[in-house]
Amino acid sequence: ISFVYANAHALEKYATRFETYFERVQAGASREELIALRAELKLDRELRNLRSAIQGARDGAERVRDIVADLRRLSADGAGERTLFDLADTARTAVSWVERGVRPGAAAVFEAAGPVPALGRAGHIQQVVMNLVQNAFDAAGEGAVRVSVRSENDRAVLEVCDDGPGVPEDLHHAIFDPFFTTKAVGKGTGLGLAISAKIAEEHGGRLSLEPSARGARFRLDLPARPDLAGDVP
């Protein structure tokens, strides 16, 4: 919903610029003046951005639709359908969405050699990845964020690393506790990591904070075959 909201603001900005241009067209401005105004308002670039914003808003709306559908299934039978999905593709989409909502020009370094099969509910795992990446950007500030996805010993593994201050060692034991947060008051609920860890566990996997020489490194480990999923509901 935040993603759709942000795109709505972008669309409003684009609409204002096009209105300014067409008001001058209707006022009978000269061709030379219109050419100059078009360049000043950067309409050619904004037209391309407009198409991207529309597509982004549609993607976000479809994601909300899918989440609601998942919730309906969960409320009906206690579990959504588990299928094999490409963790690399799911993570790539999640990173792209988060990048659009952070500081201008911010981008994560994404590494995946190819498709990485994982077993579970792709929509739920995508929420986990988005949470991890958002936390990484928040912690990194102007530093780098790196996301890697790979297959490892019949498991699907995703790691999110940042160049932030890291998690103090004396807080490692509490990082996945509900309502625990290192963010300023009003900046976080302290539920993201707790819920993400629970989702990983329900998938027969694990979310962990790994040792890192710099910043923080979170590792998501998921089964890649049904016989490795344990008693996932």
Side-chain angles (χ1 to χ4, degrees), residues 33-46:
E33 180 183 347
L34 292 177
I35 291 174
L37 182 60
R38 180 168 182 161
E40 178 185 341
L41 295 175
K42 299 181 175 64
L43 294 189
D44 293 319
R45 184 193 69 182
E46 300 297 44

Side-chain angles (χ1 to χ4, degrees), residues 69-188:
D70 282 346
L71 288 172
R72 285 175 175 166
R73 284 194 294 268
L74 286 169
S75 64
D77 60 14
E81 181 182 358
R82 290 185 297 121
T83 59
L84 278 174
F85 67 96
D86 182 2
L87 180 59
D89 183 64
T90 296
R92 187 177 291 106
T93 300
V95 170
S96 175
W97 286 6
V98 174
E99 286 175 339
R100 299 181 191 184
V102 296
R103 67 183 187 278
V109 176
F110 187 89
E111 298 177 353
V116 177
L119 182 69
R121 306 175 185 97
H124 294 185
I125 297 303
Q126 188 164 320
Q127 292 300 112
V128 172
V129 178
M130 289 181 68
N131 180 65
L132 295 176
V133 174
Q134 183 65 65
N135 284 351
F137 273 114
D138 291 344
E142 297 296 323
V145 172
R146 296 171 296 280
V147 180
S148 64
V149 189
R150 64 185 182 275
S151 295
E152 185 178 290
N153 299 325
D154 292 325
R155 308 287 288 186
V157 175
L158 174 139
E159 290 190 339
V160 178
C161 308
D162 65 69
D163 287 343
V167 180
E169 189 172 350
D170 60 331
L171 298 180
H172 283 197
H173 70 284
I175 197 70
F176 295 109
D177 290 349
F179 303 110
F180 176 85
T181 179
T182 58
K183 296 181 181 179
V185 175
K187 296 296 184 180

Side-chain angles (χ1 to χ4, degrees), residues 14 54 76 140 218:
Y14 303 149
I54 292 172
F218 285 89

